[in-house]
Amino acid sequence: MSSAPKTPWHALPEPDLLGLLEADQAQGLTPAQVQDRQQRFGRNLLAPRLGHGPLLRFLLQFHQALVYILLAAAAVKAGLGAWIDASVIFGVVLLNAIIGFIQEGKALGALAALARALTTEATVLREGAKQRIDATDLVPGDIVLLASGDKVPADLRLLQCRNLRIDESALTGESVPVEKAVGAQAFDTALAERANMSYSSTLVTYGTATGVVTSTGEHTEIGRISELIASAEALATPLTRKIASFSRLLLYAILALAALTFAVGLWHGNPPVDLFMVAVALAVAMIPEGLPAVLTITLAIGVTRMARRHAIIRHLPAVETLGSTTVICSDKTGTLTRNEMTVRQLWVAGLDVTVDGVGYAPQGRLLRDGQAFDATANATLRELLLAGLLCNDAVLKQGAEGWKIEGDPTEGALLVAAHKAGLEIAPTQAVQPRLDAIPFESEHQYMATLHEGSPRVVYLKGAVEQVLARCTGLLDADGHNIPLDLAAVHAQVEAMAGQGLRVLAFARATVAPDQRSIDHADVANGLQFLGLQGMIDPPREEAVRAVQACRGAGIRVKMITGDHAATAAAIASQIGLGEDTPTGRLVSALSGRELEGLSDEQLRSAAADTAVFARVTPEQKLRLVQALQARGEVVAMTGDGVNDAPALRRADIGVAMGINGTEVSKEAADMVLTDDNFATIAAAVEEGRGVFDNLVKFITWILPTNAGQGLVIIVAVVLAQPLPLLPVQALWINMTTAVLLGLALAFEPREPGIMRRPPRRPDTPIISTELLLRIALVGTLLLVGSFALFEWALHRGSSEAQARTIAVNVFAVGQSFYLLNCRSLRLSMFKLGVLSNPWIWVGIGAMMTVQLLFTYLPAMNLLFHTAPIGWTDWLHITLVGLLIYLIVGAEKAWRRRRELRR
Ligand code: ATP
């Protein structure tokens, strides 16, 4: 067997192809063959390719305005022979680059790990049985089954196709799905025209197929075009972009200010070289160099926290958007409900039977008017149960942990009901083997199967409206074929659905004895209606709590489901959707049919006012997202089907289901829920709010401290006083505080009450008037504190080195105290819990340690022009810090009271 890259797989006749791959279309590979091939070909994986190599990433750390300014300053210093200063500046620049490089690497690593957490599964045929396996275990020669919604797991040559359409845009850039077909093609057929091949990473948008794996991993077509492979996510979000442009603006302002200071100094008659150093000190002091790195790290921490709560973020901006979500549109089945179905009621015209028992254990009785009832004695009821058993792809299994279902729980429940009624599953299936099937697709809302027998029969099951539309007659409980009474059936459906039952309708038709296959046209009309089965699917308890939490957080939850309006409304009411009115809970529901008739204008108000949308098509989901967005809402929308992709892409947060979702929906989503649970969306929103809070806290902390440092220098120049901070000292204080103090805010836990405030408006500026006032307040306090203690020290006869050491320590201590204020934008540290973020104290401890070294270690005295100071100086410094803490604390309390009064 060969898997040489150049084998023209598309051109080989099928027998040669299978021979070359040593593959068996009917049986698949054996475990021994799989093991052997895994050793020879490796795993079906693409090596991750990071955006930039490590060297380039390291060098890019130096590509910052501040670094250029510092390098210029170092060069001037070196030119003047001040080697120590020059080397300190070089040293700090290098250290800064190393820290930035490590931190960025960690953030990228965290994101890459998450990308790996999302695995793709594939359905294969091995040893004659269908199996779901991790796609990385595929080997050449494996027989793979594809269905709509799958991501093609390796390069395949197709052996069987049914209406297969594949979106090959990942490979060819062509966004319109292409039709596939079997049969060898000409040797020189271009890649995009090879209808008999389907390539790794492309998406099945329709139909089913069987194919044999020709290449895996790096040998696939996608593996060969490295530049198309999604590299690690760019670490940019709307906020980081906004901050980047703000930083640029700030840089120009700071440079202008530096030039002005230079001019003022010249006017005072200072030597230009000194003034250049003053300008550099000013720039260094004022540029918040820690900002971008800390933002990235905060986001990465948020992503990791969300992953721990079962939400995998695929696009980084979602972390921020989640915090401002105002509407969550959620599927019902499996997301708000448990997706554990149990049939409770059977109905055929003239006969109503209930079913007891719990879960999937096929133990329970059929009851009529409270008395045990033998369902198989009634031919129509037996036929209804038989339709449920045969028109079914699920498997009921008894394992160590009890009975479980493989496949769709809706279908599993039908198997259990049939078994409870006395129809044994495997023997019944053997009597009437399946010849063909039309699989269930949400789009059509029904499934049909053709069975051997005399006569041959088609069974159809699905949504009531779809089944009724295809029926002309009805088989009543007495076995008579009577005309269909639509009103009676609908009344029964309403009654069952009103109790929250999920209602499926069943029908059948006899076909010609030689019919071997079926298509949609074969079941378009003329069927005989059999009856209804109603099943419960209890709400998830945690979803009920999460809906409540969302309500408190000013987020509206809407149910968008393929199910019947009455079922959906009943479940919605149990979950707590809708509005409370004096007469009870009001759940407004609209069906897809009603939505169809609405103009865009009407849809906009309906979208806002309605809690439940039932029998909704994927196109209508998209329209609903657009209508809500047109009203200024920030919309999170869930989806699992292949056709949900446009709505997921359009939503502000597209949410896919990790367990039951199709690969197509996962590709289109911003976030994937690994537990398919609504409560996880609410948890992610909560985390998103927490991350955003922490970003704002860091900004609130860093900007005023930079302003304070800059002001000290400016005032000294204007008053023609010696500088309280030298350039290397400004550099020291900036670098150490950002890493040791500021970074601790990224670990701040979520604040209490975070889900009791309204969503953040996405258009609110980060730098609010409140923040501007805070910058002015804290900047002034730091300025006054450091300048006063500096001047006082000089006045008392201390050396300039000592006075500067005091000024630098005012910043270190003042920023430490102010850090405590910034742990919450609203609450005091004591409300949060003094020790709830231990990193704050670790950071302050580390900061104080390095300040002691900075003050007392002779080497540091030499490098940074500092000198030891006395304990009374420390007392004064601490008093200034405490004063800052108390004044800012009072300002926060005042704001809190004003907010409460409003
Ligand atoms: P949700 O959209 O909230 O997940 P859903 O599961 O009801 O709800 P769909 O999967 O689109 O949505 O199903 C739509 C309807 O099709 C169901 O209400 C049911 O009547 C019918 N249906 C669901 N599963 C099957 C199936 N396996 N075979 C036949 N009909 C089905």
Side-chain angles (χ1 to χ4, degrees):
M1 185 177 76
S2 140
S3 176
K6 291 276 175 265
T7 315
W9 298 112
H10 63 283
L12 297 175
E14 272 171 28
D16 296 359
L17 169 82
L18 293 170
L20 196 59
L21 289 164
E22 291 168 28
D24 179 340
Q25 188 177 350
Q27 292 295 314
L29 299 176
T30 63
Q33 282 177 310
V34 171
Q35 207 181 6
D36 171 51
R37 291 179 198 200
Q38 270 172 354
Q39 268 164 13
R40 276 163 59 199
F41 298 101
R43 304 192 61 155
N44 179 29
L45 270 180
L46 295 177
R49 287 161 222 224
L50 290 175
H52 299 301
L55 183 65
L56 188 58
R57 267 199 310 119
F58 182 66
L59 291 179
L60 277 174
Q61 303 291 330
F62 294 92
H63 181 54
Q64 295 173 29
L66 184 75
V67 172
Y68 294 131
I69 294 174
L70 286 175
L71 291 179
V76 171
K77 284 276 182 191
L80 294 173
W83 291 107
I84 296 185
D85 277 359
S87 9
V88 169
I89 296 176
F90 271 130
V92 172
V93 166
L94 190 65
L95 194 68
N96 186 41
I98 293 173
I99 294 174
F101 176 74
I102 294 174
Q103 287 174 337
E104 193 186 276
K106 276 201 184 146
L108 282 171
L111 290 179
L114 291 181
R116 281 197 298 276
L118 282 178
T119 52
T120 304
E121 288 199 330
T123 310
V124 290
L125 191 67
R126 284 184 181 169
E127 284 196 301
K130 263 203 266 177
Q131 302 177 13
R132 290 286 286 169
I133 62 162
D134 189 329
T136 57
D137 291 336
L138 281 176
V139 289
D142 255 325
I143 304 293
V144 172
L145 289 93
L146 295 178
S148 127
D150 285 353
K151 182 164 163 181
V152 178
D155 284 2
L156 309 175
R157 167 76 187 268
L158 299 169
L159 302 170
Q160 262 176 15
C161 262
R162 192 178 176 124
N163 305 327
L164 186 68
R165 262 179 257 151
I166 293 201
D167 171 355
E168 295 192 331
S169 53
L171 196 62
T172 60
E174 171 59 60
S175 62
V176 181
V178 285
E179 295 255 4
K180 293 287 173 177
V182 293
Q185 285 181 283
F187 178 80
D188 56 358
T189 313
L191 187 86
E193 257 106 64
R194 292 180 197 164
N196 62 6
M197 296 289 296
S198 66
Y199 293 103
S200 176
S201 297
T202 61
L203 301 167
V204 182
T205 59
Y206 199 80
T208 54
T210 308
V212 58
V213 174
T214 55
S215 328
T216 55
E218 298 287 342
H219 299 297
T220 58
E221 291 297 333
I222 195 85
R224 286 192 222 167
I225 34 172
S226 54
E227 65 277 22
L228 272 184
I229 295 170
S231 58
E233 277 265 3
L235 295 173
T237 72
L239 178 72
T240 57
R241 264 183 240 121
K242 245 192 249 175
I243 293 288
S245 57
F246 164 75
S247 301
R248 227 168 297 132
L249 210 69
L250 196 66
L251 182 71
Y252 296 138
I254 291 168
L255 291 180
L257 208 60
L260 192 70
T261 317
F262 192 85
V264 172
L266 276 184
W267 181 60
H268 277 305
N270 293 329
V273 175
D274 289 1
L275 285 173
F276 175 72
M277 282 305 140
V278 171
V280 169
L282 185 64
V284 171
M286 293 199 90
I287 297 174
E289 46 276 16
L291 194 54
V294 176
L295 292 187
T296 311
I297 291 164
T298 310
L299 287 168
I301 291 174
V303 166
T304 319
R305 282 184 181 172
M306 288 182 190
R308 245 183 266 138
R309 297 180 79 177
H310 307 291
I312 308 276
I313 298 295
R314 294 191 66 244
H315 301 134
L316 201 55
V319 179
E320 275 169 44
T321 321
L322 271 167
S324 42
T325 304
T326 58
V327 177
I328 304 176
C329 298
S330 172
D331 281 345
K332 169 176 72 70
T333 312
T335 314
L336 288 166
T337 66
R338 298 222 287 252
N339 207 7
E340 288 164 13
M341 311 271 176
T342 316
V343 173
R344 276 278 169 265
Q345 198 172 353
L346 306 173
W347 180 83
V348 297
L351 183 65
D352 205 342
V353 176
T354 54
V355 186
D356 68 8
V358 285
Y360 293 122
Q363 286 123 22
R365 293 166 308 160
L366 271 63
L367 301 165
R368 186 179 185 200
D369 299 328
Q371 303 293 320
F373 180 75
D374 178 10
T376 45
N378 181 288
T380 311
L381 200 57
R382 187 178 188 281
E383 200 58 17
L384 174 73
L385 291 161
L386 193 63
L389 190 160
L390 293 174
C391 185
N392 202 314
D393 282 327
V395 182
L396 179 65
K397 281 196 172 157
Q398 190 174 24
E401 298 130 38
W403 291 88
K404 62 177 187 112
I405 288 293
E406 268 174 24
D408 181 354
T410 301
E411 298 189 347
L414 300 174
L415 290 183
V416 174
H419 200 294
K420 283 177 184 169
L423 292 175
E424 286 206 47
I425 298 167
T428 312
Q429 284 167 338
V431 174
Q432 285 177 274
R434 186 190 289 188
L435 296 170
D436 197 17
I438 303 173
F440 172 76
E441 307 241 12
S442 291
E443 201 182 335
H444 299 118
Q445 296 186 341
Y446 71 81
M447 164 176 177
T449 48
L450 170 66
H451 295 271
E452 183 66 281
S454 48
R456 284 190 177 174
V457 186
V458 172
Y459 286 112
L460 181 110
K461 75 172 197 303
V464 178
E465 303 88 320
Q466 295 301 328
V467 176
L468 281 178
R470 289 166 170 73
C471 291
T472 39
L474 177 149
L475 196 66
D476 75 4
D478 300 324
H480 299 131
N481 195 4
I482 57 170
L484 190 60
D485 179 357
L486 285 179
V489 177
H490 278 303
Q492 180 62 28
V493 170
E494 289 291 333
M496 288 166 74
Q499 304 163 38
L501 292 180
R502 177 175 172 83
V503 184
L504 248 65
F506 296 80
R508 70 161 194 192
T510 48
V511 297
D514 59 346
Q515 184 159 346
R516 295 208 55 82
S517 65
I518 45 168
D519 217 325
H520 290 288
D522 296 313
V523 290
N525 51 47
L527 274 75
Q528 190 178 34
F529 190 79
L530 294 173
L532 307 168
Q533 299 200 35
M535 52 190 85
I536 51 162
D537 177 18
R540 287 178 182 262
E541 274 155 34
E542 61 277 27
V544 178
R545 284 194 297 274
V547 165
Q548 192 89 32
C550 287
R551 201 180 268 264
I555 301 168
R556 268 159 307 133
V557 180
K558 296 179 186 294
M559 179 191 279
I560 302 197
T561 173
D563 213 337
H564 191 277
T567 311
I571 301 280
S573 160
Q574 290 169 19
I575 290 174
L577 300 188
E579 305 297 329
D580 285 321
T581 65
T583 50
R585 183 172 295 281
L586 182 73
V587 180
S588 44
L590 271 181
S591 73
R593 174 118 11 114
E594 289 165 307
L595 285 183
E596 237 165 59
L598 301 183
S599 67
D600 283 348
E601 186 86 13
Q602 288 165 322
L603 184 70
R604 249 174 262 160
S605 73
D609 299 338
T610 311
V612 172
F613 299 90
R615 294 282 194 243
V616 169
T617 62
E619 298 77 55
Q620 288 172 333
K621 271 193 177 183
L622 179 62
R623 270 190 81 200
L624 277 171
V625 173
Q626 287 165 332
L628 287 165
Q629 285 174 333
R631 292 180 65 100
E633 306 283 2
V634 178
V635 186
M637 164 75 90
T638 69
D640 46 16
V642 55
N643 298 319
D644 289 334
L648 292 181
R649 264 191 226 110
R650 174 67 204 229
D652 299 278
I653 305 278
V655 185
M657 302 298 145
I659 305 172
N660 284 325
T662 54
E663 291 299 325
V664 172
S665 63
K666 289 183 213 168
E667 292 279 309
D670 301 297
M671 177 165 99
V672 178
L673 310 180
T674 55
D675 60 355
D676 290 12
N677 190 340
F678 176 81
T680 301
I681 308 176
V685 166
E686 196 180 351
E687 290 293 348
R689 288 183 173 197
V691 170
F692 204 87
D693 270 5
N694 287 355
L695 294 174
V696 176
K697 285 173 199 172
F698 179 73
I699 295 169
T700 309
W701 176 79
I702 199 165
L703 293 184
T705 54
N706 282 116
Q709 292 170 32
L711 282 175
V712 159
I713 294 171
I714 294 170
V715 170
V717 172
V718 172
L719 301 180
Q721 291 295 312
L723 280 189
L725 292 180
L726 294 176
V728 284
Q729 293 170 343
L731 197 56
W732 163 266
I733 196 80
N734 247 345
M735 298 293 176
T736 49
T737 55
V739 175
L740 297 178
L741 298 179
L743 192 55
L745 289 174
F747 297 93
E748 201 51 60
R750 278 165 285 120
E751 285 188 21
I754 200 165
M755 288 295 267
R756 284 198 296 276
R757 33 170 147 115
R760 179 181 60 88
R761 290 182 55 90
D763 51 1
T764 26
I766 307 285
I767 316 281
S768 57
T769 341
E770 199 176 308
L771 181 53
L772 276 177
L773 288 177
R774 178 70 72 75
I775 294 176
L777 174 68
V778 178
T780 313
L781 289 173
L782 284 169
L783 161 74
V784 173
S786 59
F787 205 77
L789 291 195
F790 174 75
E791 290 291 328
W792 191 25
L794 288 181
H795 187 75
R796 284 180 300 158
S798 303
S799 68
E800 277 195 7
Q802 281 174 319
R804 289 199 176 109
T805 310
I806 293 174
V808 171
N809 278 316
V810 167
F811 279 99
V813 173
Q815 288 183 218
S816 298
F817 272 103
Y818 180 49
L819 185 73
L820 300 177
N821 293 120
C822 290
R823 288 191 53 205
S824 164
L825 300 171
R826 296 167 188 80
L827 305 174
S828 94
M829 171 177 69
F830 298 99
K831 284 249 165 55
L832 296 177
V834 175
L835 296 177
S836 61
N837 178 7
W839 290 109
I840 293 279
W841 300 106
V842 173
I844 292 178
M847 187 71 216
M848 290 307 111
T849 312
V850 297
Q851 278 315 111
L852 288 177
L853 297 178
F854 180 80
T855 311
Y856 296 105
L857 203 67
M860 294 293 261
N861 295 156
L862 180 71
L863 290 177
F864 289 97
H865 311 286
T866 53
I869 55 175
W871 70 270
T872 43
D873 297 320
W874 282 112
L875 190 69
H876 301 148
I877 293 167
T878 312
L879 278 177
V880 170
L882 192 63
L883 210 62
I884 292 177
Y885 176 75
L886 293 176
I887 293 175
V888 177
E891 182 240 22
K892 272 168 65 181
W894 172 71
R895 270 188 208 289
R896 211 162 42 231
R897 226 166 295 135
R898 228 177 45 155
E899 257 175 38
L900 280 183
R901 247 183 275 132
R902 265 198 242 131

